[in-house]
């Protein structure tokens, strides 16, 4: 079903209603769009994968089953090889808000990324980054010896290889099974961003220690729209849509940061041990990150059979630096200031031709 044939516009999200990428990013965007377009763009949101699962969201949006969806390249690495490479490179990230907006700028302006989604009849409007990942464990982890032989829940190539390098055992289980795995002892730690302490999985009920070694972030595309829908809504509604996207990208990343603060504060109140990693772990992480930048683009070229993506990788790394500098000039907890920065840098002049 194409955009013009739909009885109402549909948005698909494979996360729970309470997740930041649903309750903030989607619910609030839908409310804003309905108001700003006087009801001309009104989305019904299907949460928890009730319309389509994560693995088929990209194709579902391209086919017009939904007009809007959230996409993570880790679920469709063959279809989105360049996006998947950038997700692996996010292991070097230390500033999640800057990383989210660097990824967004890359998606909006890099022709190779634009074409990657265009092949699937989709248009990208903005991306997200989770907060940086740390160790949540049942026993203290301070140095590399504490990791050896431990079963660590991981997600993605970079995390798997990092834990293996440390002598740990990467374990692939769904996040929904991590709490019970920690409780039963089938896993010893999980790599997770701290928002999962307080919300969603509520790991502060089970974890005994947090090691504050920042081990990158996870990236995805918050807003992927059907290309036909994007063309048909007209220039005026496209600009209104982009304005609302800017505000809700700001809201999403601010919500992530605030929830990290809540999670860490609550962990301390619950007497969960907060552990600083020793210098050996910090050095090992630095070495592993430098290897990622050298190796992963070449691996993507070989395994995914794409043109050398080193140019895309370097642009992403440069954009991270740019957005760290931009955000340092404003109050990054101010929704209005972050929104205005995104509009000025990215969204002010896109409605005329972007995605058409």
């Amino acid at each position: 079903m194409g955009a013009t044939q739909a009885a109402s516009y549909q948005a698909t999200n494979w996360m729970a209603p309470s997740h930041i990428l649903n309750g903030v990013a989607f619910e609030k965007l839908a409310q804003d769009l309905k108001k700003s377009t006087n009801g001309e763009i009104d989305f019904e949101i299907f949460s928890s994968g009730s319309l389509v699962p994560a693995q088929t969201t990209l194709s579902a949006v391209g086919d017009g089953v939904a007009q809007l969806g959230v996409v993570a390249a880790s679920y469709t690495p063959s279809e989105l090889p360049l996006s998947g490479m950038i997700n692996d490179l996010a292991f070097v990230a230390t500033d999640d808000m800057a990383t989210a907006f660097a990824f967004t700028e890359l998606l909006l302006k890099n022709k190779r990324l634009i074409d990657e989604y265009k092949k699937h009849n989709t248009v990208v409007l903005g991306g997200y980054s989770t907060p940086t990942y740390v160790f949540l464990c049942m026993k203290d982890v301070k140095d590399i010896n504490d990791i050896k032989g431990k079963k660590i829940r991981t997600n993605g190539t970079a995390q798997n290889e990092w834990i293996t390098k440390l002598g740990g055992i990467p374990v692939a289980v769904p996040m929904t099974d991590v709490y019970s795995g920690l409780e039963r002892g089938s896993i010893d730690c999980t790599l997770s961003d701290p928002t999962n302490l307080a919300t969603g999985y509520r790991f502060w009920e089970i974890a005994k220690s947090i090691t504050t070694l920042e081990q990158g972030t996870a990236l995805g595309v918050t807003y992927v729209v059907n290309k036909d829908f994007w063309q048909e809504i007209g220039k005026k509604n496209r600009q209104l849509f982009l304005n609302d996207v800017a505000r809700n990208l700001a809201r999403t990343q601010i919500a992530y940061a605030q929830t990290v603060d809540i999670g860490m504060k609550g962990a301390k109140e619950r007497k969960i041990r907060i552990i600083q990693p020793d210098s050996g772990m910090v050095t090992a992480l630095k070495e592993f990150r430098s290897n990622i930048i050298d190796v992963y683009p070449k691996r993507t070229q070989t395994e995914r059979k794409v043109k050398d993506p080193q140019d895309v990788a370097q642009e992403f790394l440069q954009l991270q630096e740019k957005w760290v500098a931009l955000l340092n000039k404003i109050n990054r907890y101010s929704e209005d200031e972050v929104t205005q920065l995104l509009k000025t840098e990215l969204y002010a002049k896109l409605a005329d031709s972007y995605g058409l």
Side-chain angles (χ1 to χ4, degrees), residues 94-103 105 129 246 249-251 253-254 257 319-343 345-346:
T94 56
D95 184 328
D96 55 287
M97 187 176 287
T99 299
F101 300 155
F103 186 41
E105 180 164 354
S129 171
L249 289 181
R251 280 179 178 154
Q253 294 304 138
I254 291 169
L319 286 171
Q320 279 189 305
E321 294 180 6
K322 168 189 170 179
W323 279 95
V324 168
L326 287 171
L327 288 165
N328 283 341
K329 297 176 182 177
I330 67 169
N331 176 6
R332 60 169 65 203
Y333 280 87
S334 167
E335 183 183 309
D336 287 342
E337 288 188 40
V338 177
T339 298
Q340 188 55 53
L341 180 62
L342 287 168
K343 286 182 178 179
E345 291 292 324
L346 300 179

Side-chain angles (χ1 to χ4, degrees), residues 13-15 19-22 25-26 54 69-75 86-87 90 95-105 107 124-131 133 155 193 217-224 248-250 252-253 256 316 347:
N13 192 310
W14 33 272
M15 281 160 274
H19 195 285
I20 288 171
L21 289 170
N22 203 336
F26 267 50
V70 56
V71 170
S74 56
Y75 289 105
I86 298 301
N87 188 51
D95 184 328
D96 55 287
M97 187 176 287
T99 299
F101 300 155
F103 186 41
T104 294
E105 180 164 354
L107 290 165
V124 170
L125 302 184
Y128 69 86
S129 171
T130 68
Y133 278 51
N155 176 32
D193 75 76
T217 73
L219 303 181
V221 185
T222 324
Y223 306 120
V224 179
N248 284 283
L249 289 181
T252 297
Q253 294 304 138
Y256 265 135
F316 172 66
Y347 291 107

Side-chain angles (χ1 to χ4, degrees), residues 134-135 140-144 146 209-214 264 268 273-282:
V134 296
F135 283 120
D140 292 359
V141 170
K142 186 176 179 61
D143 56 38
I144 293 174
D146 293 332
S209 72
I210 300 168
T211 304
T212 58
L213 186 69
E214 294 187 332
M264 293 303 290
K268 291 177 182 177
R273 295 181 292 281
I274 311 297
I275 299 169
Q276 300 296 321
D278 78 346
S279 59
M281 288 189 78
V282 173

Side-chain angles (χ1 to χ4, degrees), residues 97-117:
M97 187 176 287
T99 299
F101 300 155
F103 186 41
T104 294
E105 180 164 354
L106 192 73
L107 290 165
L108 294 173
K109 296 184 178 180
N110 184 282
K111 187 178 186 304
R112 294 183 67 181
L113 267 295
I114 292 170
D115 288 345
E116 183 164 85
Y117 287 86

